[in-house]
Amino acid sequence: MTDAATRYSPEAPPEPAATVFVRPDHGPAAFAALDLGTNNCRLLVAAPTTTGFRVVDSFSRIVRLGEGLAHTGRLADSAMDRAAAALSACADKLGRRPIRRLEAVATEACRRAANGSAFLARITAESGLRLRIISAREEAELAMESCAPLLEPGDRRALLFDIGGGSTEIAWIRVPPGACPGTPPELIGYLSLPLGVVTLAERAGQSCFTEHGFFEVVDEVATHLAEFDRVHCIAQEIRAGGVRLMGTSGTVTTLAGVAMALPRYRRPLVDGTTLDCTAADLALGDLFALGREGLAQHPCVGPERVEFVLPGCAVYAAIRRVWPTPRLTVADRGLREGMLTRMMRADRAPARRRSGPAR
């Protein structure tokens, strides 16, 4: 796939945000990562620490930017207005504290929409925020960057999936043998399916709440995954051992919350946990059995996500069918954490180059 914009690198950083977001009079500067997806608008502001970073502010709002996109090929006026209001709230947050560097990206909805670039130009004019459209490959790389700390000694490979609003990203990852701690893994294959929880919910409608409709989605997704498997022999690698299955997205964190019988969702308990896949499969069955009203009342779902949970579960079920593994590592992290990690690493690099090698 051709990149829709210049890929991130320390040597060619994305265009900085407007100077209105730099406020040197409010304490030490932080880093900010903004992700405008098909369903959500999310902001994470963090300060670096010796072991990673500490979150100092955040924002998340369901905006349904991709509503109707699959049918029209364009972002709807009402969807753009919702996203613009959320991004304006993000700009207000950013204006209240010093920001050393801001990375703001848009993903599948803006990649696919004929008016995606025009919408982002409107956002720049209205709020000063400059968002760049990233490729599916960079989306997979950023998810890999954020989840790499969850790999453990003995892992040869990792299969990471991210079930988003407009697409599902699959990353096939190689862990370099004998690598020093902190050495990033290698992305050796990726797949971007234009099948996410929003696109599937719009297309399947009520059918995902029926067994027949649910398994129609599972069959469709599994067909695409099987083609990817034939190229990379992933199932064969799983049988050989040393392959970690990792999932990041609202679908997999919801499954974890249900499997762990949490009275309400708590990120610290979920992020980084490894589930027995049998427990996750049982949680899927429990969610399906709840029906619409039960899902709306469930503390790990809620009314705003009712339409999206079962389509996401169908994608997860397809992944399990094609790549059966005994365990699943759950990550409540993704693009924003990956962007923050990259920005902070790039910010430290010049200081190391200036100091030169130890004598």
Side-chain angles (χ1 to χ4, degrees):
M1 180 179 293
T2 303
D3 285 0
T6 304
R7 287 182 51 203
Y8 177 95
S9 72
E11 293 74 26
E15 189 176 10
T19 54
V20 67
F21 300 127
V22 179
R23 297 282 300 279
D25 56 332
H26 285 65
F31 293 78
L34 174 61
D35 166 26
L36 177 63
T38 302
N39 198 41
N40 293 280
C41 176
R42 297 186 178 102
L43 171 70
L44 203 60
V45 182
T49 66
T50 54
T51 57
F53 56 79
R54 174 178 56 86
V55 174
V56 296
D57 203 356
S58 65
F59 174 91
S60 180
R61 182 181 297 176
I62 294 176
V63 296
R64 305 192 311 279
L65 179 61
E67 186 176 52
L69 173 61
H71 302 295
T72 66
R74 298 180 62 83
L75 302 176
D77 289 342
S78 57
M80 290 189 288
D81 289 344
R82 287 192 298 266
L87 289 166
S88 177
C90 291
D92 289 343
K93 274 185 170 288
L94 291 165
R96 298 190 195 114
R97 66 174 68 250
I99 300 297
R100 182 173 181 84
R101 186 168 172 184
L102 166 66
E103 173 87 358
V105 303
T107 56
E108 181 70 8
C110 289
R111 279 200 297 263
R112 293 180 60 193
N115 57 341
S117 295
F119 168 63
L120 296 186
R122 166 192 165 182
I123 295 302
T124 300
E126 291 180 356
S127 68
L129 288 169
R130 300 185 181 99
L131 283 80
R132 65 188 181 96
I133 302 172
I134 61 171
S135 70
R137 180 183 179 90
E138 184 170 2
E139 196 170 346
E141 288 174 337
L142 287 167
M144 178 183 73
E145 183 99 38
S146 67
C147 294
L150 301 180
L151 294 169
E152 296 181 1
D155 292 338
R156 299 184 303 108
R157 299 280 192 275
L159 183 65
L160 171 65
F161 63 89
D162 181 358
I163 306 169
S167 65
T168 294
E169 314 299 329
I170 306 289
W172 180 227
I173 299 164
R174 174 179 179 269
V175 181
C180 298
T183 302
E186 302 171 4
L187 181 66
I188 54 179
Y190 79 99
L191 174 68
S192 180
L193 295 178
L195 301 171
V197 297
V198 174
T199 51
L200 288 171
E202 287 187 352
R203 194 186 68 190
Q206 303 303 310
S207 68
C208 255
F209 287 88
T210 69
E211 186 172 335
H212 176 74
F214 183 87
F215 281 104
E216 275 193 335
V217 175
V218 175
D219 292 342
E220 178 185 0
V221 176
T223 299
H224 292 288
L225 300 181
E227 294 175 4
F228 186 65
D229 181 76
R230 281 191 287 271
V231 173
H232 295 284
C233 302
I234 297 170
Q236 181 179 326
E237 292 280 3
I238 289 173
R239 288 191 292 270
V243 177
R244 179 172 298 273
L245 180 66
M246 297 193 291
T248 173
S249 69
T251 296
V252 73
T253 56
T254 298
L255 285 171
V258 174
M260 298 166 71
L262 298 180
R264 62 183 178 85
Y265 184 80
R266 293 184 61 192
R267 182 185 184 276
L269 296 179
V270 171
D271 182 48
T273 193
T274 297
L275 296 177
D276 185 298
C277 278
T278 302
D281 295 344
L282 289 173
L284 190 159
D286 291 343
L287 288 170
F288 187 86
L290 286 172
R292 182 184 301 277
E293 291 185 6
L295 289 171
Q297 296 170 10
H298 196 285
C300 292
V301 181
E304 285 192 318
R305 298 180 56 231
V306 166
E307 305 297 330
F308 309 131
V309 170
L310 293 184
C313 285
V315 176
Y316 167 77
I319 291 168
R320 287 278 295 131
R321 176 189 293 180
V322 178
W323 297 306
T325 61
R327 289 173 296 280
L328 167 66
T329 297
V330 180
D332 190 344
R333 57 181 79 188
L335 291 186
R336 294 166 301 155
E337 290 83 358
M339 288 188 284
L340 288 169
T341 300
R342 281 187 172 184
M343 283 187 283
M344 292 176 188
R345 185 170 61 235
D347 190 67
R348 292 191 297 266
R352 288 198 297 266
R353 286 197 293 267
R354 283 194 302 268
S355 64
R359 296 183 181 274

